[in-house]
Amino acid sequence: MSSAQDDRILDSPSAQRNKDPILSILKAQVVPLLRDGDASSTQKTSLTVLEVAAGCGVHTLHFARGLVTAATSADEDGEGNKVEACTWYPTDPSATSRESIDARVAAALAADDDDDEESSLPPTVTIRPAQSLTLDADGIIEGRSTDGGLSSLPNPTADIGPSSLDLITNINMIHISPWTATLGLMKTSSELLRPGGILYCYGPYKVNGTAVESNLNFDQSLQSRDASWGVRDLEEVIKEAERRGLRHVQTVEMPANNLSVIYQKL
């Protein structure tokens, strides 16, 4: 997709670099965990996904398209990805990011009309208009009575309902936000995920209080910009998730010293 099509479309070099490794984890590690009932049930074929901190929309389109279009391709076991349909809710606090997401989706829908299979969306994928979602320790601020102006915006999950989401994705947010946002992420995930639903997080972490030198330097850089930001201790994040009834399932090492961290609602 060319950004020249619409000057509202932003790009993210980091999202372009990590989109394929993350999609591989979603397909190989996350989707098989999503069952219609208990672990012995069949895999879910239709997913409802909330994307928290979606950024400019590179991931939105790549993941929604990739999870479903993979349905016709065989995996290493020869069975293929069974996701047949997806409803995707992208959210971000930034208005310019939301405009970029919507412009990207509009361009993909236009590609549908032009029979451009590479840029188009599968007919069973629905991407909802991007909404504002901001987190504090009590969860989603939008639509809640607060002292700030965000309460005048609608709650982006109002039509989703409690305990109904299959998947929540959260990529490169935890370190570039106050700790209270992580607390709110876990609270919101606990409320909105169905039993067995997955919270997928990606980003840099400290493990056992330390990290590679590049991530330690990154941590210092973040805190120099905002004292409430920083590379978090993985153990503390997991502890907060488990306090909210989200079981830590797996941690996967990713390129550029990042981690994929997968939680499942009990």
Side-chain angles (χ1 to χ4, degrees):
M1 183 185 304
S2 171
S3 61
Q5 294 175 347
D6 190 324
D7 60 10
R8 295 174 300 168
I9 295 177
L10 307 176
D11 200 11
S12 167
S14 63
Q16 295 288 359
R17 288 192 299 269
N18 64 36
K19 65 183 184 182
D20 284 325
I22 293 174
L23 179 60
S24 294
I25 295 296
L26 293 176
K27 288 159 54 178
Q29 307 295 334
V30 172
V31 168
L33 293 171
L34 295 170
R35 302 282 170 172
D36 279 321
D38 58 28
S40 64
S41 303
T42 58
Q43 181 186 299
K44 288 211 69 176
T45 59
S46 180
L47 302 182
T48 303
V49 183
L50 175 66
E51 184 180 14
V52 178
C56 65
V58 171
H59 289 153
T60 304
L61 278 176
H62 192 67
F63 298 161
R65 179 191 290 131
L67 286 175
V68 173
T69 55
T72 58
S73 63
D75 59 19
E76 293 179 356
D77 297 324
E79 296 183 355
N81 187 310
K82 297 181 178 63
V83 177
E84 298 172 358
C86 179
T87 300
W88 198 277
Y89 291 81
T91 68
D92 198 273
S94 164
T96 54
S97 292
R98 297 194 301 271
E99 290 177 2
S100 177
I101 294 168
D102 291 341
R104 282 181 177 273
V105 173
L109 294 174
D112 291 345
D113 295 336
D114 294 337
D115 294 325
D116 180 356
E117 293 186 4
E118 183 177 347
S119 299
S120 64
L121 281 173
T124 56
V125 171
T126 300
I127 300 179
R128 297 294 181 88
Q131 300 290 321
S132 178
L133 189 155
T134 312
L135 294 165
D136 65 9
D138 294 321
I140 298 172
I141 296 177
E142 286 83 352
R144 172 157 51 88
S145 178
T146 67
D147 293 333
L150 290 172
S151 59
S152 63
L153 296 173
N155 185 321
T157 65
D159 66 336
I160 293 176
S163 301
S164 61
L165 288 173
D166 298 298
L167 173 64
I168 295 175
T169 66
N170 182 249
I171 296 168
N172 282 335
M173 181 207 83
I174 288 178
H175 59 288
I176 314 181
S177 60
W179 174 244
T180 52
T182 298
L183 301 181
L185 173 67
M186 300 308 174
K187 181 177 187 294
T188 298
S189 298
S190 177
E191 293 169 349
L192 295 181
L193 285 172
R194 64 174 180 81
I198 296 294
L199 169 64
Y200 170 85
C201 296
Y202 171 95
Y205 291 88
K206 297 175 186 175
V207 178
N208 296 321
T210 190
V212 297
E213 184 177 0
S214 61
N215 279 351
L216 293 176
N217 292 337
F218 185 39
D219 181 42
Q220 293 179 347
S221 173
L222 289 171
Q223 293 192 48
S224 70
R225 293 162 58 190
D226 188 318
S228 69
W229 295 0
V231 176
R232 307 299 179 189
D233 290 314
L234 179 60
E235 295 82 2
E236 291 302 310
V237 179
I238 290 174
K239 183 186 299 184
E240 181 59 27
E242 293 185 335
R243 188 175 76 85
R244 290 292 185 178
L246 304 169
R247 179 175 64 92
H248 174 233
V249 175
Q250 189 176 11
T251 297
V252 182
E253 292 186 1
M254 302 293 285
N257 299 311
N258 290 296
L259 299 176
S260 286
V261 189
I262 301 169
Y263 307 91
Q264 188 165 38
K265 182 176 177 180
L266 298 174

